[in-house]
Amino acid sequence: MDIGRNAPELSDLIRDHYALVFRYAYRLSGSAADAEDLTQQTFLTAQVKLEQLRCADNAKAWLCTIVRNGYLKNLRAGNGTVVCSLESIAEVADATPENAQFDQDELQKNLNELPEEFRTPLILFYFEEFSYKEIAGQVGVPIGTVMSRLARAKSHLRRRLSARPVRTVSAHDRRSNQAVCSEPERV
């Protein structure tokens, strides 16, 4: 049996997953320019290692792993930003109105403040809709740790964003900002 038979072509990966890769890169890096570089590097790496992708159904997780690894490599090289500690963050946050809309730049600024180990699960869960199990596999920690990190990161964001004025929006406008207001059930 040919292992690479179910693997997609690079052009298919780019067409189907470019937006996902760029969004994830942007949320990790906090900069459109850095996200563009990281996205380009991700697809270059994917091209070189395409034989590792044995099934097209795994492409989303595989590409997100490449993005995260590239981002972490950049951080280790000293290209990252200084982040705050979450040690003093309480587990339970003040309630945020369900129909609250946050400024995307303000949301990204607050995401950038999170340490990578909290930011990555939050982005994968809320923005890319990975399950706890998928995130645990990606970052190499138990599901309980993923859940704890999500709770602490969400608490931090709620506290930071609730201190800012919010505007209310209709139900159809909530999708991109609902991530910090409610927790979808995915396990």
Side-chain angles (χ1 to χ4, degrees):
M1 180 172 119
D2 181 11
I3 292 175
R5 182 171 297 202
N6 293 331
E9 296 289 325
L10 181 65
S11 59
D12 294 336
L13 286 177
I14 294 170
R15 181 191 68 237
D16 296 342
H17 301 288
Y18 181 86
L20 163 90
V21 169
F22 181 82
R23 269 193 325 267
Y24 186 37
Y26 179 77
R27 292 296 181 194
L28 284 174
S29 68
S31 156
D34 290 343
E36 288 170 1
D37 291 344
L38 192 51
T39 299
Q40 182 178 16
Q41 186 59 45
T42 296
F43 286 113
L44 287 171
T45 301
Q47 180 181 13
V48 170
K49 298 182 178 190
L50 195 57
E51 73 281 351
Q52 291 180 358
L53 180 60
R54 298 172 195 243
C55 179
D57 293 341
N58 299 334
K60 179 180 170 182
W62 184 68
L63 288 168
C64 285
T65 298
I66 295 172
V67 171
R68 181 173 180 265
N69 289 342
Y71 173 74
L72 292 174
K73 183 178 177 183
N74 288 342
L75 279 181
R76 284 189 298 271
N79 300 333
T81 58
V82 177
V83 294
C84 68
S85 169
L86 292 185
E87 294 303 317
S88 62
I89 303 295
E91 289 292 329
V92 179
D94 295 332
T96 303
E98 184 177 318
N99 59 347
Q101 173 85 19
F102 300 102
D103 176 63
Q104 292 298 313
D105 292 334
E106 186 68 21
L107 176 61
Q108 185 61 51
K109 178 182 167 227
N110 284 285
L111 281 172
N112 291 346
E113 292 176 355
L114 290 170
E116 187 278 329
E117 70 229 25
F118 293 92
R119 181 177 33 210
T120 295
L122 187 97
I123 293 167
L124 289 174
F125 188 79
Y126 290 109
F127 294 96
E128 304 307 336
E129 300 181 354
F130 278 70
S131 69
Y132 294 140
K133 183 178 178 182
E134 290 170 323
I135 296 167
Q138 284 246 349
V139 299
V141 298
I143 289 175
T145 302
V146 169
M147 294 169 70
S148 173
R149 288 179 182 178
L150 280 170
R152 292 182 74 195
K154 190 168 74 170
S155 176
H156 171 77
L157 286 178
R158 278 187 176 160
R159 192 183 83 205
R160 298 287 302 207
L161 293 171
S162 67
R164 310 279 192 272
V166 296
R167 61 184 177 97
T168 57
V169 294
S170 63
H172 67 79
D173 290 333
R174 275 188 252 149
R175 179 163 161 55
S176 66
N177 293 304
Q178 191 173 16
V180 295
C181 299
S182 65
E183 187 167 323
E185 294 183 21
R186 285 188 305 270
V187 178

